[in-house]
Amino acid sequence: MTTTIDTRAAGLPAPTAASPYRLNFVRLVRSEALKLFTLRSTWWSLGVTVLLATGISLLVAAVTTSLPEEIRAQMTVNPMSAVVSPLQFTMLVAGILGAMAITGEYSTGMIRSTLTAEPRRGAVLLAKALIVSATLIVTTLVTSLISILVVTPIFGSNGFAWDDAELTWIPLVWAIISMATFALLGLGCGFLIRNGAGAIAATVGILFVLPIVMSLFSFGGESWQWLIDLYNYLPSSAASGLTTNPTNETVRNVIVLLAWPAASLLGGWAVLRVRDA
């Protein structure tokens, strides 16, 4: 009697145990943080933000206190203005950082690995938006504290009126929020355009070029007044209004400031859903 032995199973790989780890949203956020903070461009951008903001605050404080006494007697000296004044320049760094946070993945092809690990594309966008906005909030907060420490000795007796929220706390909070919204605007442009140079150009155009172009039409008279009015609906204009005069057109400025990044992120989400990586 012969016995037949089936040897086909011998060549099959041994079954592997299922991994106990699952990619949940917390781990997704952690991975996005690792990707952002392992880039040298991130640290360069944050370093430039701190140095630029502190330097401009110091310069504005020195110029304000060096004005003739008769001029300073006619104006309200608010040290917080020196702290929030760099916003018009650091907003560009924030927007560029937001754009680079995603366009770098498209240029290297890492976005394919990201979407393979997490097919829910909306979750990827949300996780990246949380990390980018949190990074700018913390950076702006630290930078503002440094600027406050630097300019306090310069103003001397005309120091910060911490008991008056409209002069101190409210402009400071809006400056921090504005930097986060500028970064999210750049992030949304990055998801939309998927190219580093294009996304940076679009972000700088919205934040910096458009305000300059629209201000040129102030010499055009009544026929161009409608275009001048549109200036108030730019994100940089809204941020300036909230940080310099938070009691004037506050509702409009808040809506404008939040609507721009919301629109860019929604557009980026729509493109991310329908287009291949």
Side-chain angles (χ1 to χ4, degrees):
M1 181 178 179
T2 59
T3 303
T4 303
I5 301 176
D6 189 357
T7 59
R8 288 177 297 177
L12 296 177
T16 57
S19 173
Y21 301 103
R22 294 291 183 271
L23 183 61
N24 54 31
F25 187 72
V26 174
R27 290 194 173 97
L28 179 60
V29 171
R30 187 185 305 168
S31 68
E32 293 298 334
L34 288 174
K35 285 190 287 186
L36 183 64
F37 294 125
T38 50
L39 295 174
R40 283 182 294 179
S41 59
T42 298
W43 295 106
W44 274 106
S45 299
L46 298 180
V48 168
T49 300
V50 174
L51 293 177
L52 187 63
T54 306
I56 294 177
S57 296
L58 182 62
L59 182 62
V60 171
V63 170
T64 302
T65 55
S66 63
L67 293 174
E69 188 64 33
E70 57 272 15
I71 296 179
R72 282 190 292 167
Q74 299 174 2
M75 56 184 293
T76 301
V77 178
N78 181 16
M80 187 55 69
S81 298
V83 176
V84 301
S85 59
L87 186 67
Q88 300 300 315
F89 301 94
T90 55
M91 66 179 181
L92 297 178
V93 184
I96 292 172
L97 176 61
M100 291 191 302
I102 180 58
T103 56
E105 290 198 43
Y106 280 105
S107 62
T108 60
M110 185 182 291
I111 188 66
R112 299 187 186 94
S113 301
T114 300
L115 297 180
T116 300
E118 177 51 270
R120 298 174 301 171
R121 301 191 174 195
V124 173
L125 186 146
L126 179 58
K128 198 173 287 290
L130 287 175
I131 290 299
V132 169
S133 58
T135 300
L136 266 299
I137 288 174
V138 173
T139 302
T140 309
L141 178 60
V142 172
T143 303
S144 300
L145 292 177
I146 296 174
S147 298
I148 290 171
L149 293 176
V150 169
V151 304
T152 295
I154 298 177
F155 284 101
S157 59
N158 295 320
F160 292 87
W162 295 113
D163 56 336
D164 191 339
E166 291 184 0
L167 292 178
T168 53
W169 296 106
I170 295 178
L172 180 60
V173 170
W174 281 121
I176 295 172
I177 295 175
S178 297
M179 284 291 285
T181 59
F182 296 147
L184 292 177
L185 175 63
L187 180 65
C189 290
F191 273 108
L192 275 168
I193 301 175
R194 300 186 170 195
N195 176 270
I200 291 174
T203 304
V204 173
I206 295 172
L207 294 178
F208 188 72
V209 178
L210 270 181
I212 295 177
V213 172
M214 288 187 175
S215 64
L216 295 177
F217 287 91
S218 59
F219 303 100
E222 293 290 336
S223 59
W224 295 102
Q225 185 61 41
W226 65 273
L227 190 57
I228 300 172
D229 293 337
L230 288 178
Y231 174 84
N232 297 321
Y233 295 91
L234 294 176
S236 57
S237 176
S240 178
L242 290 170
T243 54
T244 57
N245 190 5
T247 60
N248 185 32
E249 300 291 346
T250 302
V251 175
R252 183 195 67 191
N253 290 332
V254 171
I255 294 175
V256 171
L257 185 65
L258 299 180
W260 279 89
S264 68
L265 288 174
L266 285 174
W269 173 69
V271 171
L272 187 64
R273 289 195 61 184
V274 300
R275 290 181 58 184
D276 293 333

Short mmCIF file of all heavy atoms in Angstrom, two decimals, residues 244-274:
data_model
loop_
_atom_site.label_atom_id
_atom_site.label_comp_id
_atom_site.label_asym_id
_atom_site.label_seq_id
_atom_site.Cartn_x
_atom_site.Cartn_y
_atom_site.Cartn_z
N THR A 244 -5.61 96.49 14.90
CA THR A 244 -5.38 97.91 15.16
C THR A 244 -6.60 98.62 15.72
O THR A 244 -6.48 99.54 16.53
CB THR A 244 -4.94 98.64 13.87
OG1 THR A 244 -5.95 98.45 12.86
CG2 THR A 244 -3.62 98.06 13.37
N ASN A 245 -7.79 98.19 15.29
CA ASN A 245 -9.03 98.82 15.78
C ASN A 245 -10.12 97.76 15.87
O ASN A 245 -11.02 97.69 15.03
CB ASN A 245 -9.46 99.95 14.84
CG ASN A 245 -10.58 100.79 15.44
OD1 ASN A 245 -10.98 100.59 16.59
ND2 ASN A 245 -11.10 101.72 14.66
N PRO A 246 -10.05 96.88 16.89
CA PRO A 246 -10.97 95.74 16.96
C PRO A 246 -12.43 96.10 17.17
O PRO A 246 -13.30 95.24 17.05
CB PRO A 246 -10.43 94.94 18.15
CG PRO A 246 -9.69 95.94 18.98
CD PRO A 246 -9.11 96.93 18.02
N THR A 247 -12.73 97.35 17.49
CA THR A 247 -14.13 97.74 17.71
C THR A 247 -14.80 98.23 16.44
O THR A 247 -16.00 98.51 16.44
CB THR A 247 -14.21 98.84 18.78
OG1 THR A 247 -13.46 99.99 18.34
CG2 THR A 247 -13.64 98.35 20.10
N ASN A 248 -14.06 98.36 15.34
CA ASN A 248 -14.60 98.89 14.09
C ASN A 248 -14.82 97.77 13.09
O ASN A 248 -13.87 97.08 12.70
CB ASN A 248 -13.65 99.94 13.51
CG ASN A 248 -14.22 100.60 12.27
OD1 ASN A 248 -15.42 100.77 12.15
ND2 ASN A 248 -13.35 100.97 11.34
N GLU A 249 -16.07 97.57 12.67
CA GLU A 249 -16.41 96.54 11.67
C GLU A 249 -15.88 95.16 12.08
O GLU A 249 -15.35 94.41 11.26
CB GLU A 249 -15.85 96.92 10.30
CG GLU A 249 -16.38 98.23 9.74
CD GLU A 249 -17.86 98.14 9.35
OE1 GLU A 249 -18.39 97.02 9.27
OE2 GLU A 249 -18.46 99.21 9.12
N THR A 250 -16.05 94.82 13.35
CA THR A 250 -15.49 93.57 13.86
C THR A 250 -16.11 92.36 13.20
O THR A 250 -15.40 91.43 12.79
CB THR A 250 -15.68 93.50 15.39
OG1 THR A 250 -15.06 94.63 16.00
CG2 THR A 250 -15.07 92.23 15.95
N VAL A 251 -17.43 92.35 13.08
CA VAL A 251 -18.12 91.19 12.53
C VAL A 251 -17.67 90.95 11.09
O VAL A 251 -17.36 89.82 10.70
CB VAL A 251 -19.65 91.37 12.61
CG1 VAL A 251 -20.36 90.21 11.92
CG2 VAL A 251 -20.09 91.48 14.07
N ARG A 252 -17.64 91.99 10.30
CA ARG A 252 -17.21 91.84 8.90
C ARG A 252 -15.78 91.32 8.82
O ARG A 252 -15.47 90.42 8.03
CB ARG A 252 -17.31 93.18 8.18
CG ARG A 252 -16.96 93.11 6.68
CD ARG A 252 -16.71 94.48 6.10
NE ARG A 252 -15.50 95.10 6.66
CZ ARG A 252 -15.18 96.37 6.48
NH1 ARG A 252 -15.98 97.16 5.79
NH2 ARG A 252 -14.07 96.86 7.01
N ASN A 253 -14.90 91.89 9.60
CA ASN A 253 -13.49 91.48 9.56
C ASN A 253 -13.30 90.03 9.99
O ASN A 253 -12.47 89.31 9.42
CB ASN A 253 -12.65 92.41 10.43
CG ASN A 253 -12.52 93.80 9.84
OD1 ASN A 253 -12.59 93.97 8.63
ND2 ASN A 253 -12.34 94.80 10.69
N VAL A 254 -14.06 89.61 10.99
CA VAL A 254 -13.96 88.21 11.44
C VAL A 254 -14.41 87.26 10.34
O VAL A 254 -13.77 86.24 10.06
CB VAL A 254 -14.77 88.00 12.73
CG1 VAL A 254 -14.85 86.52 13.07
CG2 VAL A 254 -14.14 88.77 13.89
N ILE A 255 -15.52 87.59 9.71
CA ILE A 255 -16.05 86.74 8.63
C ILE A 255 -15.05 86.66 7.48
O ILE A 255 -14.77 85.59 6.94
CB ILE A 255 -17.41 87.27 8.14
CG1 ILE A 255 -18.46 87.13 9.26
CG2 ILE A 255 -17.86 86.53 6.89
CD1 ILE A 255 -19.80 87.74 8.92
N VAL A 256 -14.50 87.82 7.09
CA VAL A 256 -13.54 87.84 5.99
C VAL A 256 -12.29 87.04 6.33
O VAL A 256 -11.79 86.25 5.53
CB VAL A 256 -13.16 89.29 5.65
CG1 VAL A 256 -12.00 89.34 4.66
CG2 VAL A 256 -14.36 90.03 5.07
N LEU A 257 -11.80 87.23 7.55
CA LEU A 257 -10.57 86.55 7.96
C LEU A 257 -10.72 85.04 7.95
O LEU A 257 -9.78 84.31 7.58
CB LEU A 257 -10.16 87.03 9.36
CG LEU A 257 -8.83 86.50 9.90
CD1 LEU A 257 -7.67 87.00 9.06
CD2 LEU A 257 -8.65 86.90 11.36
N LEU A 258 -11.89 84.55 8.36
CA LEU A 258 -12.11 83.10 8.41
C LEU A 258 -12.59 82.53 7.09
O LEU A 258 -12.36 81.34 6.81
CB LEU A 258 -13.13 82.79 9.51
CG LEU A 258 -12.75 83.20 10.93
CD1 LEU A 258 -13.86 82.82 11.91
CD2 LEU A 258 -11.43 82.56 11.36
N ALA A 259 -13.23 83.35 6.26
CA ALA A 259 -13.80 82.85 5.02
C ALA A 259 -12.73 82.48 4.00
O ALA A 259 -12.87 81.49 3.27
CB ALA A 259 -14.76 83.88 4.42
N TRP A 260 -11.66 83.25 3.93
CA TRP A 260 -10.61 82.97 2.95
C TRP A 260 -9.96 81.61 3.15
O TRP A 260 -9.91 80.80 2.20
CB TRP A 260 -9.57 84.09 2.95
CG TRP A 260 -9.99 85.29 2.16
CD1 TRP A 260 -10.69 86.37 2.60
CD2 TRP A 260 -9.73 85.53 0.76
NE1 TRP A 260 -10.89 87.27 1.58
CE2 TRP A 260 -10.31 86.78 0.45
CE3 TRP A 260 -9.09 84.82 -0.23
CZ2 TRP A 260 -10.24 87.32 -0.84
CZ3 TRP A 260 -9.02 85.35 -1.51
CH2 TRP A 260 -9.59 86.58 -1.80
N PRO A 261 -9.45 81.29 4.34
CA PRO A 261 -8.87 79.95 4.51
C PRO A 261 -9.91 78.84 4.40
O PRO A 261 -9.60 77.75 3.91
CB PRO A 261 -8.24 80.00 5.91
CG PRO A 261 -8.95 81.10 6.61
CD PRO A 261 -9.28 82.11 5.55
N ALA A 262 -11.15 79.11 4.85
CA ALA A 262 -12.19 78.09 4.73
C ALA A 262 -12.47 77.77 3.28
O ALA A 262 -12.60 76.59 2.89
CB ALA A 262 -13.46 78.57 5.43
N ALA A 263 -12.54 78.80 2.43
CA ALA A 263 -12.80 78.59 1.01
C ALA A 263 -11.65 77.83 0.34
O ALA A 263 -11.87 76.92 -0.47
CB ALA A 263 -13.03 79.92 0.32
N SER A 264 -10.41 78.19 0.68
CA SER A 264 -9.27 77.52 0.06
C SER A 264 -9.17 76.06 0.51
O SER A 264 -8.86 75.18 -0.30
CB SER A 264 -7.97 78.26 0.39
OG SER A 264 -7.66 78.15 1.77
N LEU A 265 -9.47 75.79 1.77
CA LEU A 265 -9.41 74.41 2.25
C LEU A 265 -10.54 73.57 1.67
O LEU A 265 -10.33 72.39 1.34
CB LEU A 265 -9.47 74.38 3.78
CG LEU A 265 -8.20 74.87 4.50
CD1 LEU A 265 -8.43 74.93 6.00
CD2 LEU A 265 -7.02 73.96 4.20
N LEU A 266 -11.73 74.15 1.55
CA LEU A 266 -12.82 73.42 0.94
C LEU A 266 -12.52 73.12 -0.53
O LEU A 266 -12.80 72.02 -1.03
CB LEU A 266 -14.12 74.22 1.05
CG LEU A 266 -14.78 74.25 2.43
CD1 LEU A 266 -15.97 75.21 2.44
CD2 LEU A 266 -15.21 72.86 2.86
N GLY A 267 -11.95 74.09 -1.23
CA GLY A 267 -11.55 73.84 -2.60
C GLY A 267 -10.46 72.77 -2.69
O GLY A 267 -10.50 71.91 -3.58
N GLY A 268 -9.50 72.83 -1.78
CA GLY A 268 -8.46 71.81 -1.76
C GLY A 268 -9.00 70.43 -1.46
O GLY A 268 -8.55 69.43 -2.04
N TRP A 269 -9.98 70.37 -0.56
CA TRP A 269 -10.60 69.08 -0.23
C TRP A 269 -11.34 68.52 -1.45
O TRP A 269 -11.28 67.31 -1.71
CB TRP A 269 -11.55 69.27 0.94
CG TRP A 269 -12.38 68.06 1.27
CD1 TRP A 269 -11.93 66.88 1.80
CD2 TRP A 269 -13.79 67.91 1.08
NE1 TRP A 269 -12.98 66.01 1.97
CE2 TRP A 269 -14.13 66.61 1.53
CE3 TRP A 269 -14.78 68.74 0.59
CZ2 TRP A 269 -15.44 66.14 1.49
CZ3 TRP A 269 -16.08 68.27 0.55
CH2 TRP A 269 -16.39 66.99 1.00
N ALA A 270 -12.04 69.38 -2.18
CA ALA A 270 -12.77 68.93 -3.37
C ALA A 270 -11.80 68.40 -4.42
O ALA A 270 -12.05 67.34 -5.04
CB ALA A 270 -13.60 70.08 -3.94
N VAL A 271 -10.69 69.09 -4.64
CA VAL A 271 -9.69 68.63 -5.61
C VAL A 271 -9.04 67.34 -5.14
O VAL A 271 -8.80 66.42 -5.94
CB VAL A 271 -8.64 69.73 -5.84
CG1 VAL A 271 -7.47 69.20 -6.66
CG2 VAL A 271 -9.27 70.94 -6.53
N LEU A 272 -8.76 67.25 -3.85
CA LEU A 272 -8.13 66.05 -3.30
C LEU A 272 -9.00 64.82 -3.47
O LEU A 272 -8.51 63.70 -3.68
CB LEU A 272 -7.81 66.27 -1.81
CG LEU A 272 -7.00 65.19 -1.10
CD1 LEU A 272 -5.60 65.08 -1.70
CD2 LEU A 272 -6.91 65.50 0.39
N ARG A 273 -10.31 65.00 -3.41
CA ARG A 273 -11.22 63.87 -3.52
C ARG A 273 -11.36 63.34 -4.95
O ARG A 273 -11.52 62.14 -5.16
CB ARG A 273 -12.61 64.26 -3.01
CG ARG A 273 -12.68 64.45 -1.51
CD ARG A 273 -14.12 64.47 -1.05
NE ARG A 273 -14.81 63.22 -1.36
CZ ARG A 273 -16.10 63.01 -1.12
NH1 ARG A 273 -16.84 63.95 -0.61
NH2 ARG A 273 -16.65 61.85 -1.42
N VAL A 274 -11.31 64.24 -5.92
CA VAL A 274 -11.62 63.84 -7.29
C VAL A 274 -10.38 63.58 -8.15
O VAL A 274 -10.48 62.93 -9.20
CB VAL A 274 -12.49 64.90 -7.98
CG1 VAL A 274 -13.80 65.08 -7.23
CG2 VAL A 274 -11.75 66.23 -8.10
#
